Amino acid sequence: MRGNRSQRALRDRIDKLRAQAPEVPATSVERKLQLGVIRMVALFAVFFAILLVRRALM
């Protein structure tokens, strides 16, 4: 009914730390898609190879 003593203590500690934390995080996480030149050339080569094969089969 009252819950686990350890879990209540942990919840209280987390709540206290959240209250002390700044509103906006100091850092942000960004994910960028970075393709090298070689990967881009390979991607185009595969794309055009598929087009050529499809055209040859038609």
Side-chain angles (χ1 to χ4, degrees), residues 6-41:
S6 299
Q7 289 178 346
R8 278 196 316 261
L10 182 60
R11 184 192 63 210
D12 293 340
R13 185 174 174 202
I14 290 171
D15 289 340
K16 195 182 304 182
L17 289 173
R18 281 185 179 162
Q20 295 173 357
E23 281 292 320
V24 179
T27 59
S28 64
V29 176
E30 294 180 12
R31 182 177 178 181
K32 292 183 181 180
L33 182 61
Q34 296 179 350
L35 293 177
V37 174
I38 295 173
R39 288 183 186 169
M40 192 60 89
V41 170

Side-chain angles (χ1 to χ4, degrees), residues 36-52:
V37 174
I38 295 173
R39 288 183 186 169
M40 192 60 89
V41 170
L43 181 66
F44 280 114
V46 170
F47 177 73
F48 285 113
I50 291 171
L51 285 179
L52 290 173

